[in-house]
Amino acid sequence: MILRQYIRFIHALMHTGSVTKPPDLFQIGSLSPSEPVFEIDPVCKMRVLPETAAARFDYRGKTYYFCNPRCRDRFEANPEAFLNPIPASPAKKSQGDAVYVCPMHPEIRQMGPGACPKCGMALEPDMASAEEEPNNELADMKHRFWVAAVVSIPLMIFGMMEAVPMLQFFLATAAVLYAGQPLLQRGWTSVVNRSPNMFTLIGLGIMAAYGYSTIAVFVPAAGLPVYFEAASVITALVLLGQVLELRARAQTGSAIRSLLRLAPKSAHRVGADGTEQEVLLDAVKAGDLLRIRSGERIPVDGIVTSGSSSVDESMISGESIPVEKSAGSAVTGGTSNQSGTFIMRAERVGRDTVLSHIIQMVGQAQRSRAPIQRLADTVSAWFVPAVVAVSVITFVIWALLGPAPRMTTALLNAVAVLIIACPCALGLATPMSVMVGIGRGATVGVLVRNAETLEILEKVDTLVVDKTGTLTEGKPSVSRILVFTNDLPEPEVLRLAASVERGSEHPLASAIVKAAETRNLTLSEVADFQSKTGRGVSGTVNGRKVTLGTSAFIQELGLSAAEAVTAAEHLRHDGHTVMFVAVDGKIAALIGVSDPIKATALEAVENLRKDGIRVIVLTGDNRTTALAIARQLGIDDVRSDVLPEQKGQVIRELQAEGHIVAMAGDGVNDAPALAQAQVGIAMGSGADVAMESSGITLLRGDLRGIGRARALSRATMKNIRQNLFLAFVYNTIGVPIAAGMLYPFFGILLSPMIASAAMTLSSVSVITNALRLRRTQLG
């Protein structure tokens, strides 16, 4: 019986590897004595006799026993880590459960890995994972390459000796039909789907050499030479190209992987009783309190509730200077806590965090297609049929006019033409550069929504900028209150104004409400509230009719006061935005609101002007105030008093003049203009609708990011043009040489094996050139 138990144990160990310890002899059959009572060491899980334990520790009324003092020390430092460990992570999705997409044809999507039915390229995961997972496609291609390479060596020796043709046949069959099976399968799929691609040409070339040689072996009377080594070496070299290409393409996802790694895997959740528990990130919910320790990454977006620290937000800003955080400050998941410790309340978790939105946007943008890709698509559509035609013509000419042996020379030249032509390099030229370029932008806080935006941005000659929140901090505050009536003291005017403005979402309204709250004024309920977008608001407070708005709005109501108008003009000259306050049909006061200019705005505007960009301020604010702000920044083109619905019209007028316009803004009222412009640029600190309407988002709301985005656009487009040049020149030169154009002048013919090596290098050179964008300096 004991023997049978152990045989079962050994069998399970060999076949599953899941058995962790052998069965206890004292648990078997009739050998069970009276057992001692063991305790489990909570650290290493070993069984320990209490009377002989090396150490013990009391925690929450229970005694724990340890096999050695080191286990006791680890337990004493953090008991909950061992008593309530983080549950095991859910099993990762297998490759078959993930969505895969073609980098050249984003519309091709399927569950699990495979090859694109249009271009034959290996599909890639739609979303990169934080860690590089095993690439089954790469492993399979490596294995097949080594089989083909090992078989090719004796084949080349036998080929030079012209010996044992039957053995050559068997070796070549292993190389072509086994090792080259994915290449032939993709070639056949391209024919069935009527989507000729590089694998169509490769399959034709390999099978032409292999089929010709097979006929020579089995029909010896024909007296034909065999070229099995050509078929085998071509297969090996194409497989080597696939290995190099797959390795290089894997690096294009490095930007998303680096973003994914920013999010920690766990968080320290603080319970209602003050105890802490380490939990998986997926278990964190909105409203949870989390402790962030020194040196840790912030797990989710939220608000600091207690404590203070400095946080490195370079992952969203590109700036390395830490930002001070204290109670009430917003913190972003993925940023790094520096010196202090604090408790935060989780606000946005899971797919709602800023980091998750960044990753989703970058992933979608990397799959988008730039307009310049149409050139490559047009050429590729005709390329493969043209190459096949050239190959046939080459065969016919050499078979009729070439030197002896004519059929052999004709075949080799025709195969060389098929093999050297590589539409893959042409197709990869644009998407690889776009993928790497958009990923590079994400690392410096420039999110590009699609490839078309990236292409247009370098051509922009006019930048229209909103004032509030774009040129200024977007944090207006009440700076002056001028009262023109004796029956209303300043606090009462502010209280009435704030009571009405509490129903408005305008930034100036928030400033007035905040000023009232700072003075601890009690606000009242408002009746008959009305809002005129871009003009003002009105309502009844404690029986008094209160109206706030622009001077134009007040005049529309038939109210006027020369003294107030003059005072307002003086405030505007100093850069204040002025709100008129009318109570019971009379102008009662002016409220001046100021919004400081961003510290980086002047530098950004100067750099844009040096870059040849015309900068225009577009604002709903009064002209005097707008000119005061523009004057400090050296901007002389100001469009003021523009209502939200009129902003899009201004953009259309500039476009009608022939300008390529970019619009930068951050508010809800900027969304129509952002959508109208050729390139909409949203401040990441602004409204979500503005970001949804834009092609580019600057995560920190720093206008210098426009310069970075322009540099990225130029670098990416330059890289694409280089790739297209490489692909076009390669094929323009390679195909004629393979067809034998140099033979009449220099007696040179291109071996199909050399053609295969050249074809491999063309694709790898395009991808390698695209990867250079990862190191591009963006200012």
Side-chain angles (χ1 to χ4, degrees):
M1 181 177 179
I2 296 174
L3 179 61
R4 188 162 58 249
Q5 291 279 354
Y6 263 81
I7 290 173
R8 289 175 181 169
F9 162 71
I10 295 296
H11 182 270
L13 182 63
M14 293 175 61
H15 287 81
T16 69
S18 60
V19 180
T20 56
K21 63 188 182 79
D24 192 336
L25 290 178
F26 294 104
Q27 300 281 338
I28 300 174
S30 59
L31 298 181
S32 185
S34 60
E35 293 187 14
V37 178
F38 287 93
E39 295 287 345
I40 302 297
D41 183 327
V43 176
C44 66
K45 307 305 179 186
M46 287 188 63
R47 296 195 302 170
V48 181
L49 281 170
E51 56 269 23
T52 61
R56 65 183 65 195
F57 181 74
D58 293 328
Y59 179 68
R60 290 189 174 182
K62 181 177 179 180
T63 301
Y64 295 90
Y65 300 91
F66 305 90
C67 66
N68 65 70
R70 286 192 297 275
C71 284
R72 191 266 318 274
D73 293 342
R74 291 179 61 195
F75 181 83
E76 186 177 353
N78 190 2
E80 290 299 323
F82 299 100
L83 298 179
N84 297 295
I86 299 176
S89 299
K92 289 184 178 179
K93 285 186 177 182
S94 66
Q95 289 186 328
D97 295 330
V99 176
Y100 278 66
V101 61
C102 175
M104 290 171 58
H105 301 90
E107 70 276 11
I108 302 299
R109 302 170 67 87
Q110 70 175 43
M111 300 299 293
C116 175
K118 288 188 176 181
C119 64
M121 290 181 63
L123 302 180
E124 298 175 344
D126 186 38
M127 201 65 187
S129 59
E131 305 299 330
E132 285 193 65
E133 297 183 0
N135 188 326
N136 294 337
E137 177 80 11
L138 177 57
D140 182 59
M141 287 294 181
K142 271 186 184 177
H143 167 70
R144 294 179 185 276
F145 161 69
W146 284 114
V147 170
V150 169
V151 167
S152 295
I153 295 173
L155 268 174
M156 291 177 69
I157 295 172
F158 292 146
M160 289 185 290
M161 297 171 57
E162 298 183 2
V164 284
M166 186 57 72
L167 179 58
Q168 290 188 53
F169 166 74
F170 286 115
L171 290 173
T173 299
V176 171
L177 300 187
Y178 170 70
Q181 182 261 339
L183 310 179
L184 300 178
Q185 183 177 14
R186 293 177 188 184
W188 175 250
T189 301
S190 71
V191 174
V192 172
N193 292 329
R194 297 181 181 178
S195 299
N197 53 52
M198 66 170 285
F199 293 101
T200 314
L201 304 178
I202 290 169
L204 285 172
I206 292 174
M207 290 310 296
Y210 177 77
Y212 176 88
S213 301
T214 301
I215 293 172
V217 169
F218 288 97
V219 188
L224 301 174
V226 297
Y227 288 98
F228 285 122
E229 77 277 10
S232 179
V233 171
I234 290 170
T235 301
L237 288 171
V238 173
L239 289 168
L240 174 61
Q242 291 296 295
V243 170
L244 296 175
E245 183 181 311
L246 286 167
R247 276 184 178 173
R249 280 168 52 194
Q251 297 178 47
T252 60
S254 60
I256 287 187
R257 279 195 296 273
S258 65
L259 290 172
L260 287 165
R261 293 190 190 112
L262 292 175
K265 293 182 172 59
S266 62
H268 301 285
R269 185 164 59 195
V270 180
D273 58 355
T275 59
E276 294 181 24
Q277 182 182 13
E278 191 173 6
V279 297
L280 285 173
L281 190 60
D282 291 344
V284 176
K285 296 180 174 58
D288 285 352
L289 294 179
L290 309 173
R291 180 176 294 281
I292 311 301
R293 298 170 179 166
S294 177
E296 291 183 338
R297 287 200 175 273
I298 296 169
V300 296
D301 299 352
I303 303 294
V304 176
T305 58
S306 64
S308 62
S309 182
S310 56
V311 175
D312 178 1
E313 296 187 332
S314 57
M315 80 97 176
I316 59 172
S317 67
E319 300 291 339
S320 57
I321 300 174
V323 180
E324 296 301 318
K325 301 290 183 180
S326 57
S329 299
V331 288
T332 305
T335 56
S336 179
N337 185 29
Q338 298 291 289
S339 54
T341 180
F342 59 87
I343 293 177
M344 62 172 285
R345 182 178 65 252
E347 298 282 337
R348 292 193 294 268
V349 301
R351 297 178 66 86
D352 295 328
T353 64
V354 168
L355 181 59
S356 293
H357 286 158
I358 292 173
I359 292 169
Q360 292 167 29
M361 184 182 290
V362 172
Q364 292 170 3
Q366 286 184 329
R367 305 297 180 197
S368 61
R369 296 169 71 81
I372 197 173
Q373 176 71 22
R374 296 179 194 134
L375 172 63
D377 291 344
T378 302
V379 174
S380 296
W382 294 95
F383 187 80
V384 174
V387 169
V388 173
V390 171
S391 178
V392 171
I393 293 170
T394 299
F395 180 84
V396 171
I397 291 175
W398 282 97
L400 295 176
L401 305 175
R406 289 181 178 177
M407 293 299 295
T408 299
T409 306
L411 175 70
L412 293 179
N413 288 340
V415 169
V417 169
L418 290 172
I419 296 299
I420 201 169
C422 186
C424 183
L426 193 61
L428 283 171
T430 298
M432 287 297 109
S433 296
V434 167
M435 192 175 293
V436 180
I438 287 175
R440 176 71 181 100
T443 63
V444 294
V446 177
L447 297 188
V448 182
R449 182 171 292 278
N450 53 55
E452 183 176 4
T453 296
L454 195 62
E455 179 174 338
I456 295 172
L457 185 58
E458 71 164 355
K459 304 171 185 175
V460 166
D461 58 24
T462 302
L463 173 67
V464 177
V465 291
D466 175 51
K467 179 178 72 68
T468 305
T470 305
L471 293 175
T472 64
E473 292 287 353
K475 299 175 182 177
S477 60
V478 173
S479 50
R480 295 288 299 276
I481 300 178
L482 300 179
V483 179
F484 299 101
T485 179
N486 294 324
D487 63 337
L488 284 174
E490 180 181 308
E492 180 63 10
V493 170
L494 180 59
R495 189 187 74 83
L496 292 172
S499 297
V500 177
E501 289 285 26
R502 190 164 53 171
S504 172
E505 296 181 352
H506 196 280
L508 299 183
S510 300
I512 293 172
V513 173
K514 186 175 180 180
E517 292 173 346
T518 302
R519 299 191 187 189
N520 296 317
L521 302 177
T522 303
L523 305 187
S524 301
E525 293 297 321
V526 180
D528 305 321
F529 176 80
Q530 291 184 344
S531 175
K532 299 290 185 181
T533 303
R535 293 180 174 85
V537 294
S538 64
T540 302
V541 181
N542 301 134
R544 310 193 74 164
K545 180 69 173 179
V546 181
T547 303
L548 284 89
T550 64
S551 57
F553 184 51
I554 294 297
Q555 289 172 8
E556 286 178 13
L557 299 176
L559 304 177
S560 63
E563 182 185 1
V565 172
T566 303
E569 196 65 16
H570 285 298
L571 287 175
R572 292 181 187 124
H573 272 293
D574 293 334
H576 296 276
T577 298
V578 180
M579 300 287 289
F580 285 75
V581 182
V583 179
D584 293 333
K586 295 180 179 180
I587 295 178
L590 297 178
I591 297 179
V593 178
S594 62
D595 187 6
I597 295 174
K598 289 181 178 179
T600 58
L602 179 59
E603 178 188 347
V605 171
E606 288 178 347
N607 290 339
L608 289 167
R609 264 203 308 267
K610 290 176 183 176
D611 198 24
I613 301 293
R614 174 190 179 192
V615 181
I616 300 173
V617 175
L618 182 65
T619 178
D621 210 342
N622 179 273
R623 183 163 185 80
T624 305
T625 304
L627 284 172
I629 297 295
R631 190 164 48 244
Q632 296 179 58
L633 297 173
I635 302 173
D636 54 13
D637 195 340
V638 177
R639 315 288 175 94
S640 58
D641 298 300
V642 181
L643 297 176
E645 59 268 23
Q646 296 173 333
K647 288 188 175 182
Q649 180 59 36
V650 173
I651 301 296
R652 283 190 289 273
E653 290 172 0
L654 291 169
Q655 291 169 333
E657 295 172 7
H659 296 290
I660 299 177
V661 182
M663 166 72 188
D666 76 323
V668 173
N669 59 345
D670 296 320
L674 289 169
Q676 176 62 40
Q678 278 99 335
V679 177
I681 303 172
M683 303 293 112
S685 53
D688 289 344
V689 66
M691 288 184 261
E692 289 298 323
S693 304
S694 65
I696 291 176
T697 299
L698 306 179
L699 287 175
R700 284 294 290 176
D702 184 347
L703 275 179
R704 291 179 300 178
I706 298 178
R708 294 191 185 106
R710 290 261 295 173
L712 176 66
S713 174
R714 286 199 185 99
T716 303
M717 295 311 299
K718 180 180 178 181
N719 195 271
I720 288 173
R721 294 182 189 106
Q722 290 170 344
N723 283 345
L724 290 172
F725 176 80
L726 286 172
F728 278 123
V729 168
Y730 163 81
N731 285 300
T732 302
I733 296 175
V735 172
I737 291 176
M741 182 172 286
L742 298 180
Y743 184 80
F745 308 102
F746 306 104
I748 297 175
L749 290 177
L750 191 65
S751 164
M753 291 180 281
I754 301 298
S756 179
M759 181 274 296
T760 293
L761 290 174
S762 69
S763 294
V764 174
S765 65
V766 164
I767 297 173
T768 304
N769 187 54
L771 290 174
R772 291 192 307 112
L773 284 170
R774 295 187 302 171
R775 300 187 295 274
T776 298
Q777 296 300 316
L778 301 178

